[in-house]
Amino acid sequence: MDSEKIFQELNTKLKNSNILKNEPMSKHTTFKIGGNADIFVKVKSVDDIKSIVEFAHTKNVPFYIIGNGSNILVKDAGIRGIVIKIELDNMKIENNKKDVYITVESGKKIAQIAR
Ligand SMILES: Cc1cc2nc3c(=O)[nH]c(=O)nc-3n(C[C@H](O)[C@H](O)[C@H](O)COP(=O)(O)OP(=O)(O)OC[C@H]3O[C@@H](n4cnc5c(N)ncnc54)[C@H](O)[C@@H]3O)c2cc1C
């Protein structure tokens, strides 16, 4: 399946995520290196993650999940398939006077949690 077809089909399935074609990974890694990802999705909802993973399995398209790109190195040739950048960043803090519990979605930046 070519990337244009993947883009078109996936675009119709996603509700509120931002899908891009031939996106330079250098824009999404701390080291500012890496060639283009065929398809790059900034994911804003759990439903969209489910849709992408289901689509990738059904169509046999490789996919790769990233967060803030601070612990990955991408080669100059880029990434074939779909890159899913998790942008879910809700945070809940519960304090029962003895313990504090912090629940965060996996796209939250560590610095924001620490602050
Ligand atoms: C200069 C520098 C300083 C750092 N300092 C610290 C520090 O002080 N403290 C500290 O704890 N860490 C530190 N780190 C490490 C870095 O912050 C951690 O590795 C961080 O947890 C990576 O998160 P990320 O969202 O950037 O992941 P990414 O780099 O995007 O991804 C890392 C790996 O996790 C996978 N992944 C990411 N998100 C998901 C997800 N939601 N589901 C499944 N798999 C996922 C990716 O596929 C990849 O294999 C530092 C790194 C650098 C480069």
Side-chain angles (χ1 to χ4, degrees):
M1 185 182 244
D2 63 49
S3 49
E4 180 60 34
K5 207 164 172 214
I6 297 171
F7 177 84
Q8 296 299 345
E9 284 193 30
L10 202 50
N11 201 16
T12 60
K13 291 181 187 295
L14 300 178
K15 293 195 179 94
N16 51 358
S17 296
N18 189 6
I19 180 167
L20 303 162
K21 261 184 297 186
N22 294 321
E23 176 70 357
M25 287 302 297
S26 55
K27 286 164 74 175
H28 305 282
T29 56
T30 297
F31 277 81
K32 305 287 177 218
I33 59 167
N36 292 1
D38 291 340
I39 306 291
F40 187 94
V41 190
K42 296 178 182 180
V43 170
K44 310 269 190 202
S45 76
V46 173
D47 281 347
D48 281 349
I49 297 174
K50 287 181 189 167
S51 296
I52 298 166
V53 172
E54 203 175 87
F55 175 87
H57 281 307
T58 309
K59 305 285 182 181
N60 208 15
V61 176
F63 69 92
Y64 190 77
I65 296 172
I66 66 164
N68 204 37
S70 56
N71 215 21
I72 52 170
L73 297 172
V74 180
K75 60 188 179 219
D76 294 344
I79 300 176
R80 305 288 71 81
I82 305 165
V83 174
I84 303 169
K85 179 178 165 68
I86 306 288
E87 290 204 343
L88 287 87
D89 65 351
N90 283 316
M91 177 164 77
K92 186 172 77 178
I93 300 176
E94 295 162 283
N95 185 349
N96 66 10
K97 298 203 171 135
K98 185 167 166 273
D99 300 301
V100 178
Y101 295 93
I102 304 175
T103 309
V104 288
E105 291 183 314
S106 65
K108 190 81 177 170
K109 294 194 171 59
I110 291 172
Q112 291 171 344
I113 300 167
R115 238 179 273 133

